[in-house]
Amino acid sequence: MRTITSIKDLKNAIKASKLSGKTVGFVPTMGYLHDGHASLLKYSIEDNEYTVLSIFVNPIQFSVNEDFSKYPRDIARDVHIAEGLGVDIIFVPTVEEMYPEGFKTCVEIEQITNKLCGATRPGHFKGVATVVNKLFNIIGPDRAYFGQKDAQQAAVIKQMVKDMNMNVEIIVCPIVREADGLAMSSRNVYLSPGEKKAATILSETLFAAGKLIQDGERDKGKVLGFITSQISSEPLARIEYTDIVNADTLEDIKVIQGRVLVALAVKIGNTRLIDNIVTDAGLI
Ligand code: AMP
C-alpha cells in the first residue's frame, strides 16, 4: 500500500494501474476510520482490482461554528487499518494541496441540498460536492462507495454524477451499527459514556418508527410526532430535525407511500448525530 500526498503522484499511480487494465474503486472519507468506513473499503476491494481511500477533513464543508479543528484525526492508525484491509493507495492531501491559493470554483446542487442536513448546515453540501468532484477528477474511479449513513450526501452525489454525466458508478452501502444500534461515526468519540448510552435513542426511535410504518401507519405527522416525543423523552437529546421523504429523490411527501427515508439529526450534549432508516411502505 502506498500513502500519497500529492495530486500529481496520485494521478501517475492511477494512470499506471489503469494502463494495466485494472478497475478502480474509490472510498472518500474524513478518516478516523471505523467499521462503517471498513465496510465501504471491503465492498470496493471485492468489486475492483484497485482501491483508493482518501482521507481529507475538508474545511469547506464545515461552517465556522462547527468542529473542523477538533475533528478526530489519527493517520497512523488509519494507515494500519487500511493496510490490513488490502487498500492499494491512501491519498492524504493537505488543505493547500486541495485548495491552493487562487482556488475559485465550487459545485452547487440545487433543491435537494436545501432540506434535512442542508437546511441546518448551509454551504455543507456545496463543500462536499466540490471536494468529491475534485477527487473524482483526480482519480477517475470506475466505482465510488458512499454510506447510507449520510443518505442526503449519497443522493446529492448521485444527482451530481447524473447531471454532469460523470463516468462513475455510485454505490451506496448499508449503515454499520454498534451492537446497541448506534450508527458508527467518527464523531461518536466525542460522546461521554452517559451520552453514548443516551444516543441509542436515535436508532431505537427510528426502528420503532419503521415498525409503525410497516404496521400500516401512513400519516406522516403521526410518525413524526411519535419520533419527536420519543427523542424528547431523553433529557440529553435535542432534535435538530426529523423528516420523512421519498428515499430516492428526497422529495417531500404528504402521505407515507413507496420507499421512504426516515431521517433525523439530534444533538446529544454538544455532539450532533445523524441517523436514518429506509422502509418500503408500498402503495396506499
Ligand atoms: P466520513 O469519514 O464520516 O465523511 O464518512 C466517509 C464515508 O463513510 C461516507 O460515505 C459515509 O456515509 C460512510 N460512513 C460513515 N459512517 C458509516 C456507517 N456507520 N456505516 C456505513 N457507512 C458509513
XYZ file of all heavy atoms in Angstrom, residues 27-40 43 53-56 61 71 128 145-151 153-154 171-178 182-188 274, ligand 1:
395
model
N -13.044 5.219 -2.198
C -13.798 5.478 -0.962
C -13.316 6.797 -0.356
O -12.232 6.849 0.229
C -13.626 4.320 0.045
C -14.417 4.609 1.331
C -14.054 2.987 -0.555
N -14.105 7.875 -0.512
C -13.711 9.141 0.122
C -14.143 9.181 1.578
O -15.287 8.820 1.907
C -14.488 10.196 -0.689
C -15.598 9.471 -1.380
C -15.316 8.001 -1.339
N -13.224 9.598 2.454
C -13.559 9.705 3.885
C -12.846 10.911 4.496
O -11.975 11.502 3.875
C -13.100 8.462 4.701
O -11.684 8.545 4.927
C -13.427 7.160 4.022
N -13.235 11.179 5.743
C -12.511 12.187 6.519
C -11.622 11.495 7.566
O -11.117 12.130 8.493
C -13.481 13.157 7.187
C -14.311 13.928 6.147
S -14.962 15.484 6.751
C -16.046 14.921 8.046
N -11.456 10.185 7.425
C -10.532 9.464 8.284
C -11.093 9.149 9.662
O -12.291 9.201 9.889
N -10.191 8.810 10.583
C -10.524 8.288 11.903
C -11.432 7.065 11.694
O -12.570 7.014 12.141
C -11.180 9.350 12.792
C -10.885 9.101 14.258
C -9.607 9.291 14.755
C -11.865 8.637 15.123
C -9.308 9.027 16.087
C -11.586 8.365 16.453
C -10.299 8.569 16.921
O -10.015 8.304 18.240
N -10.859 6.117 10.975
C -11.640 5.017 10.407
C -12.306 4.138 11.465
O -11.740 3.870 12.520
C -10.743 4.147 9.523
C -10.057 4.862 8.340
C -9.218 3.862 7.541
C -11.077 5.548 7.437
N -13.509 3.701 11.141
C -14.250 2.756 11.970
C -14.833 1.685 11.046
O -14.575 1.704 9.825
C -15.334 3.482 12.781
C -16.227 4.364 11.951
N -17.096 3.858 11.019
C -16.358 5.713 11.894
C -17.762 4.848 10.456
N -17.321 5.990 10.958
N -15.628 0.785 11.621
C -16.123 -0.347 10.824
C -17.068 0.075 9.697
O -17.266 -0.685 8.748
C -16.824 -1.368 11.737
C -15.807 -2.184 12.526
O -14.594 -2.039 12.263
O -16.226 -2.961 13.411
N -17.682 1.263 9.817
C -18.520 1.767 8.711
C -17.652 2.046 7.500
O -17.951 1.593 6.378
N -16.533 2.752 7.713
C -15.590 3.004 6.618
C -15.044 1.676 6.081
O -14.917 1.489 4.870
C -14.400 3.833 7.109
C -14.742 5.197 7.623
N -14.480 5.582 8.919
C -15.311 6.280 7.026
C -14.860 6.833 9.090
N -15.387 7.284 7.968
N -14.704 0.769 7.016
C -14.114 -0.513 6.613
C -15.068 -1.282 5.702
O -14.637 -1.929 4.746
C -13.767 -1.345 7.846
N -16.377 -1.189 5.982
C -17.324 -1.931 5.143
C -17.309 -1.379 3.712
O -17.341 -2.145 2.746
C -18.736 -1.902 5.735
O -19.366 -0.674 5.480
N -17.205 -0.067 3.561
C -17.127 0.534 2.220
C -15.866 0.047 1.501
O -15.900 -0.294 0.316
C -17.078 2.067 2.329
C -18.385 2.855 2.296
C -19.404 2.370 3.283
C -18.127 4.349 2.503
N -16.275 -3.535 0.308
C -17.066 -3.623 -0.934
C -16.191 -3.240 -2.123
O -16.217 -3.890 -3.171
C -18.281 -2.683 -0.887
C -19.423 -3.181 -0.034
C -19.796 -2.517 1.128
C -20.153 -4.312 -0.408
C -20.849 -2.960 1.915
C -21.213 -4.767 0.382
C -21.552 -4.081 1.536
O -22.589 -4.528 2.308
N -8.333 4.953 -1.142
C -9.023 5.554 0.001
C -8.495 6.977 0.141
O -7.276 7.180 0.121
C -8.676 4.739 1.258
C -8.847 5.415 2.630
C -10.316 5.670 2.933
C -8.236 4.532 3.732
N -9.397 7.945 0.248
C -8.902 9.294 0.547
C -9.272 9.655 1.971
O -10.348 9.290 2.468
C -9.444 10.338 -0.442
O -10.822 10.528 -0.260
N -8.349 10.343 2.609
C -8.584 10.855 3.964
C -8.318 12.346 3.914
O -7.170 12.773 3.705
C -7.661 10.158 4.985
C -8.034 8.670 5.061
C -7.786 10.830 6.356
C -7.209 7.866 6.025
N -9.377 13.106 4.052
C -9.222 14.563 3.962
C -10.353 15.213 4.747
O -11.530 15.037 4.410
C -9.283 14.994 2.488
C -9.116 16.480 2.294
C -7.972 17.131 2.731
C -10.111 17.223 1.673
C -7.823 18.504 2.552
C -9.967 18.596 1.492
C -8.816 19.238 1.932
N -16.535 22.163 3.935
C -17.863 21.621 4.247
C -18.243 21.853 5.713
O -19.302 21.401 6.156
C -17.959 20.140 3.869
C -17.176 19.189 4.755
C -17.175 17.780 4.205
O -16.683 17.509 3.121
N -17.758 16.842 4.952
N -12.029 17.993 14.811
C -12.457 16.712 14.222
C -11.363 15.667 14.478
O -10.180 15.944 14.283
C -12.700 16.890 12.714
C -13.448 15.723 12.119
C -14.840 15.661 12.173
C -12.762 14.655 11.551
C -15.529 14.564 11.654
C -13.439 13.562 11.039
C -14.824 13.529 11.091
O -15.494 12.445 10.591
N -19.091 19.573 0.137
C -18.983 18.132 -0.131
C -18.904 17.888 -1.638
O -18.026 17.166 -2.130
C -20.198 17.377 0.472
C -20.237 15.933 -0.019
C -20.168 17.420 1.993
N -17.797 4.557 -3.462
C -18.619 3.960 -2.409
C -18.945 4.990 -1.328
O -18.042 5.640 -0.799
C -17.869 2.754 -1.796
C -17.639 1.687 -2.842
C -16.628 1.828 -3.784
C -18.488 0.588 -2.935
C -16.448 0.879 -4.777
C -18.312 -0.360 -3.927
C -17.294 -0.209 -4.854
O -17.126 -1.135 -5.847
N -20.236 5.090 -1.029
C -20.715 6.027 -0.015
C -21.612 5.273 0.957
O -22.204 4.247 0.602
C -21.499 7.175 -0.673
C -20.618 8.089 -1.493
C -20.283 7.768 -2.796
C -20.100 9.256 -0.952
C -19.447 8.594 -3.548
C -19.268 10.097 -1.680
C -18.948 9.770 -2.991
N -21.739 5.801 2.167
C -22.563 5.133 3.172
C -23.980 5.690 3.214
O -24.185 6.902 3.102
N -24.930 4.815 3.418
C -26.330 5.222 3.609
C -26.480 6.068 4.874
O -27.434 6.814 5.030
C -27.203 3.951 3.675
C -28.665 4.160 4.001
C -29.392 4.988 2.952
O -28.994 5.044 1.800
N -30.471 5.644 3.365
N -25.501 5.941 5.772
C -25.497 6.772 6.994
C -25.710 8.245 6.638
O -26.447 8.952 7.304
C -24.165 6.557 7.708
C -23.767 7.615 8.691
C -24.251 7.250 10.054
C -24.057 8.337 11.070
N -22.919 9.198 10.873
N -25.009 8.688 5.577
C -25.153 10.070 5.104
C -26.043 10.038 3.861
O -25.580 10.254 2.731
C -23.777 10.660 4.794
C -22.904 10.728 6.027
O -22.253 9.706 6.347
O -22.887 11.758 6.691
N -27.317 9.728 4.077
C -28.233 9.460 2.968
C -28.341 10.654 2.020
O -28.363 10.491 0.796
C -29.615 9.108 3.523
N -26.114 13.025 1.529
C -24.846 13.153 0.799
C -24.837 12.206 -0.397
O -24.469 12.604 -1.510
C -23.683 12.819 1.737
C -22.346 12.677 1.049
C -21.221 12.524 2.059
O -20.739 13.518 2.602
N -20.821 11.309 2.331
N -25.254 10.965 -0.191
C -25.267 9.989 -1.278
C -26.211 10.453 -2.391
O -25.878 10.360 -3.582
C -25.685 8.620 -0.748
N -22.093 3.670 -5.513
C -22.639 2.521 -4.783
C -22.867 2.948 -3.332
O -21.950 3.442 -2.672
C -21.685 1.325 -4.891
C -21.709 0.877 -6.368
C -22.125 0.180 -3.981
C -20.559 0.114 -6.813
N -24.115 2.782 -2.894
C -24.476 3.212 -1.539
C -24.550 1.964 -0.647
O -25.290 1.027 -0.949
C -25.805 3.994 -1.533
C -26.122 4.495 -0.132
C -25.735 5.174 -2.510
N -23.767 1.970 0.412
C -23.617 0.778 1.265
C -24.382 0.951 2.580
O -24.507 2.075 3.087
C -22.145 0.549 1.571
S -21.114 0.545 0.098
N -24.868 -0.168 3.149
C -25.708 -0.095 4.354
C -25.009 0.524 5.571
O -23.776 0.492 5.661
C -26.047 -1.557 4.661
C -25.538 -2.364 3.546
C -24.650 -1.531 2.686
N -25.812 1.024 6.495
C -25.278 1.621 7.732
C -24.724 0.514 8.636
O -25.403 -0.489 8.883
C -26.388 2.382 8.495
C -26.954 3.516 7.633
C -25.858 2.917 9.832
C -28.096 4.287 8.296
N -23.507 0.701 9.116
C -22.927 -0.227 10.095
C -23.163 0.360 11.480
O -22.923 1.548 11.714
C -21.425 -0.434 9.833
C -20.805 -1.332 10.891
C -21.210 -1.032 8.439
N -23.669 -0.473 12.379
C -24.053 -0.011 13.715
C -23.268 -0.728 14.805
O -22.810 -1.856 14.600
C -25.550 -0.260 13.948
C -26.433 0.492 12.974
C -27.922 0.177 13.173
N -28.700 0.941 12.203
C -29.011 2.227 12.339
N -28.673 2.859 13.445
N -29.685 2.863 11.402
N -23.172 -0.084 15.965
C -22.646 -0.742 17.159
C -23.678 -1.798 17.584
O -24.829 -1.757 17.144
C -22.506 0.265 18.314
C -21.687 1.493 17.994
C -20.196 1.305 18.268
O -19.795 0.180 18.639
O -19.464 2.285 18.093
N -26.351 2.064 17.846
C -25.803 3.381 17.489
C -25.042 3.291 16.160
O -24.160 2.455 15.999
C -24.859 3.864 18.605
C -24.143 5.193 18.361
C -25.130 6.359 18.263
C -23.119 5.464 19.463
N -25.409 4.155 15.220
C -24.716 4.173 13.924
C -23.268 4.593 14.145
O -23.005 5.580 14.841
C -25.415 5.142 12.980
N -22.340 3.850 13.557
C -20.923 4.205 13.748
C -20.624 5.540 13.108
O -21.153 5.863 12.040
C -20.038 3.119 13.164
C -20.128 1.865 13.975
S -18.751 0.798 13.676
C -19.206 -0.549 14.762
N -19.786 6.311 13.771
C -19.402 7.626 13.277
C -18.106 8.030 13.948
O -17.888 7.721 15.128
C -20.501 8.643 13.618
O -19.997 9.964 13.502
N -17.255 8.727 13.209
C -16.013 9.222 13.816
C -16.345 10.152 14.974
O -15.587 10.263 15.937
C -15.176 9.978 12.779
O -14.944 9.162 11.661
N -17.482 10.836 14.892
C -17.857 11.798 15.935
C -18.322 11.122 17.222
O -18.463 11.797 18.238
C -18.949 12.744 15.421
C -18.424 13.760 14.407
C -19.471 14.818 14.084
N -18.926 15.923 13.315
C -19.010 16.060 11.988
N -19.621 15.126 11.265
N -18.486 17.101 11.381
N -18.567 9.795 17.198
C -19.005 9.116 18.431
C -17.946 9.226 19.524
O -18.253 9.100 20.707
C -19.322 7.642 18.169
C -20.587 7.471 17.346
O -21.307 8.449 17.106
N -20.861 6.253 16.890
N -26.380 12.016 13.254
C -27.455 11.784 12.285
C -27.678 10.285 12.160
O -26.767 9.487 12.410
C -27.156 12.392 10.887
C -25.841 11.853 10.304
C -27.143 13.904 10.954
C -25.642 12.227 8.837
P -16.902 10.367 6.853
O -15.490 9.982 7.095
O -17.729 10.467 8.089
O -17.034 11.547 5.934
O -17.545 9.158 6.065
C -16.970 8.649 4.884
C -17.924 7.675 4.242
O -18.199 6.616 5.149
C -19.268 8.329 3.878
O -19.706 7.824 2.621
C -20.157 7.876 4.997
O -21.528 7.798 4.641
C -19.603 6.473 5.276
N -19.970 6.050 6.626
C -19.770 6.750 7.776
N -20.305 6.084 8.817
C -20.852 4.949 8.319
C -21.562 3.847 8.887
N -21.823 3.782 10.186
N -21.975 2.866 8.059
C -21.729 2.929 6.730
N -21.069 3.928 6.128
C -20.642 4.936 6.914
